[in-house]
């Protein structure tokens, strides 16, 4: 249940409404949208008589949305959500390109790749400081030192940064340094982490769990929205299938138009983790643009042979630049502007 407030709803009215929600055994969460404020009622609201709330002062409307993911649903919000990061906007109809190393390795490596991706057409710099590796013996990331390097790269290039938070502890630091908080595939259903992220005032990119259904993915996004953070974007990064020998994962391109129909949230594709080989990345980037994704997240390395993480799927800066140019050409024929 959602209680939409009148623009002139007073603080006193709001307090009364919150108390009334609590009296029904539910938890009120305030959602401050651009145009209106809404109270999201968490908990079992099925037995609440909505007329009790409709009669209260300061209430514009009380609505029930027939969708398991009420806030993520287009039934709640028809218009696309636009998420502003630096000078770019996700979900605005223009295709945003994010690029950078899978992992922040050294200051020199990150700065050099950051300059290269900027020169070759990226609007956002990616790079992991906390790496969720399959093996405990693999490089785990530079942690805060890596975040400081990303900050230096942002200061020098002006590119906003996206980086992953692995757990509640790293989230505090990631929040301090990053522009977009990335939640990785392995954490898509880490509900405690999602709840923590829901309390923050920074954009979040939620990767699809590698074996998650679309409903599970949107419900995970709903956790972040329901707690009050409305700046959520989704990222398709490939799902598990029976043949991972050549492509690592299967990028579920068919999910993109489905998700764009179901939700107003921006949708990103990660063609690098999604396909596992750099030869696949350009074709899958074009495909992502063509199926209506709002953005791509691409691994780029200037010495992929020596990369500490996922070198086989990293494009060189030159290959990245050529791919961006082709995205622009394709965008022209599809009438989609690439930033
Ligand atoms: C990443 O983008 O660095 C990453 C680890 O991705 P995923 O969570 O999709 O595996
Ligand atoms: Mn990686």
């Amino acid at each position: 249940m959602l209680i939409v407030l009148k623009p002139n709803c007073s603080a006193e009215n709001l307090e009364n409404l919150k108390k009334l929600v609590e009296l029904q055994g539910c938890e009120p969460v305030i959602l401050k949208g651009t145009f209106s404020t809404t109270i999201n009622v968490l908990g079992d609201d099925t037995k609440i008589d909505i007329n009790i709330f409709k009669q209260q002062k300061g209430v514009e409307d009380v609505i029930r949305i027939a969708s398991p993911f009420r806030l993520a649903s287009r039934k709640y919000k028809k218009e696309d959500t636009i998420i502003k990061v630096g000078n770019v906007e996700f979900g605005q109809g223009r295709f945003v390109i994010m690029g950078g190393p899978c992992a922040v390795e050294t200051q020199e490596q990150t700065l050099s790749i950051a300059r290269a991706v900027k020169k070759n057409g990226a609007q956002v710099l990616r790079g992991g400081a906390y790496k969720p590796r399959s093996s405990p013996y693999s490089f785990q990331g530079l942690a805060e030192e890596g975040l400081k390097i990303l900050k230096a790269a942002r200061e020098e290039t002006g590119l906003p940064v996206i980086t992953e938070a692995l757990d509640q502890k790293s989230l505090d630091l990631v929040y301090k340094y990053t522009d977009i908080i990335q939640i990785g595939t392995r954490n898509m259903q880490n509900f405690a982490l999602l709840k923590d992220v829901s309390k923050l005032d920074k954009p979040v990119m939620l990767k699809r769990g590698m074996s998650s259904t679309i409903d599970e993915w949107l419900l995970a996004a709903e956790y972040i929205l329901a707690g009050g953070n409305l700046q959520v974007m989704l990222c398709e990064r490939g799902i598990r299938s029976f043949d991972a020998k050549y492509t690592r994962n299967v990028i579920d391109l068919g999910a993109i138009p489905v998700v764009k129909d179901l939700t107003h949230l921006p949708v990103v594709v990660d063609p690098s983790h999604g396909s596992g080989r750099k030869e696949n990345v350009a074709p899958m980037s074009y495909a992502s643009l063509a199926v209506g994704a709002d953005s791509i997240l691409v691994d780029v390395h200037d010495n992929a042979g020596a990369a500490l993480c996922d070198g086989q799927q990293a494009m060189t800066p030159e290959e990245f630049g050529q791919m961006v140019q082709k995205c622009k050409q394709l965008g022209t024929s599809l009438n989609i502007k690439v930033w």
Side-chain angles (χ1 to χ4, degrees), residues 101-103 126-128 130-133 164 166 182-187 205 207-208 210 235-238 248-249 270 273-274 297 299 309-310 313:
C102 182
R126 67 146 289 146
Y130 296 90
K131 297 304 305 173
R133 304 304 299 278
E164 178 167 356
L166 266 193
Q182 177 172 324
I183 300 296
T185 189
R186 294 159 188 82
N187 266 323
M205 186 187 78
K207 287 192 150 193
R208 179 178 182 182
M210 59 185 86
C235 177
E236 164 58 42
R237 50 78 69 204
R248 186 172 181 181
N249 290 299
D270 178 343
H273 290 82
L297 178 76
D299 282 10
C309 186
D310 286 347
Q313 68 192 32

Side-chain angles (χ1 to χ4, degrees), residues 122-187:
Q123 293 83 46
V124 176
L125 175 67
R126 67 146 289 146
Y130 296 90
K131 297 304 305 173
R133 304 304 299 278
S134 299
S135 163
Y137 305 112
S138 301
F139 176 59
Q140 304 285 310
L142 297 181
E144 188 170 11
E145 190 194 333
L147 296 174
K148 288 183 180 159
I149 294 173
L150 287 170
K151 182 173 177 236
R154 183 212 291 116
E155 276 163 13
E156 193 195 301
T157 59
L159 291 178
V161 162
I162 177 165
T163 196
E164 178 167 356
L166 266 193
D167 48 25
Q168 278 95 336
K169 194 165 151 233
S170 58
L171 180 61
D172 291 342
L173 284 167
V174 165
Y175 172 76
K176 227 167 90 183
Y177 288 93
T178 198
D179 299 286
I180 306 171
I181 301 161
Q182 177 172 324
I183 300 296
T185 189
R186 294 159 188 82
N187 266 323

Side-chain angles (χ1 to χ4, degrees), residues 78-263:
K78 283 192 197 56
E79 327 77 58
D80 289 334
T81 284
I82 295 175
I83 298 179
K84 194 167 164 49
V85 180
N87 296 325
V88 288
E89 289 176 345
F90 292 83
Q92 188 251 46
R94 286 173 74 172
F95 194 64
V96 179
I97 298 180
M98 304 190 271
C102 182
V104 174
E105 298 166 8
T106 64
Q107 171 128 350
E108 201 190 5
Q109 167 251 16
T110 304
L111 284 180
S112 130
I113 299 173
R115 287 181 204 118
V117 294
K118 179 171 184 176
K119 182 170 143 237
N120 286 297
Q123 293 83 46
V124 176
L125 175 67
R126 67 146 289 146
Y130 296 90
K131 297 304 305 173
R133 304 304 299 278
S134 299
S135 163
Y137 305 112
S138 301
F139 176 59
Q140 304 285 310
L142 297 181
E144 188 170 11
E145 190 194 333
L147 296 174
K148 288 183 180 159
I149 294 173
L150 287 170
K151 182 173 177 236
R154 183 212 291 116
E155 276 163 13
E156 193 195 301
T157 59
L159 291 178
V161 162
I162 177 165
T163 196
E164 178 167 356
L166 266 193
D167 48 25
Q168 278 95 336
K169 194 165 151 233
S170 58
L171 180 61
D172 291 342
L173 284 167
V174 165
Y175 172 76
K176 227 167 90 183
Y177 288 93
T178 198
D179 299 286
I180 306 171
I181 301 161
Q182 177 172 324
I183 300 296
T185 189
R186 294 159 188 82
N187 266 323
M188 190 204 84
Q189 288 188 314
N190 181 342
F191 300 120
L193 185 61
L194 300 182
K195 283 183 184 175
D196 284 346
V197 160
S198 82
K199 300 295 170 210
L200 303 178
D201 56 0
K202 277 201 179 168
V204 180
M205 186 187 78
L206 178 67
K207 287 192 150 193
R208 179 178 182 182
M210 59 185 86
S211 302
S212 295
T213 63
I214 291 174
D215 278 349
E216 286 165 341
W217 188 19
L218 294 177
L219 281 167
E222 187 74 16
Y223 263 88
I224 307 173
L225 300 164
N229 187 343
L230 302 179
Q231 299 188 83
V232 179
M233 44 187 149
L234 302 159
C235 177
E236 164 58 42
R237 50 78 69 204
I239 48 176
R240 280 282 167 91
S241 188
F242 57 90
D243 183 2
K245 187 173 164 195
Y246 300 101
T247 55
R248 186 172 181 181
N249 290 299
V250 174
I251 303 182
D252 189 1
L253 288 172
I256 307 301
V258 173
V259 171
K260 293 287 297 177
D261 271 352
L262 290 172
T263 174

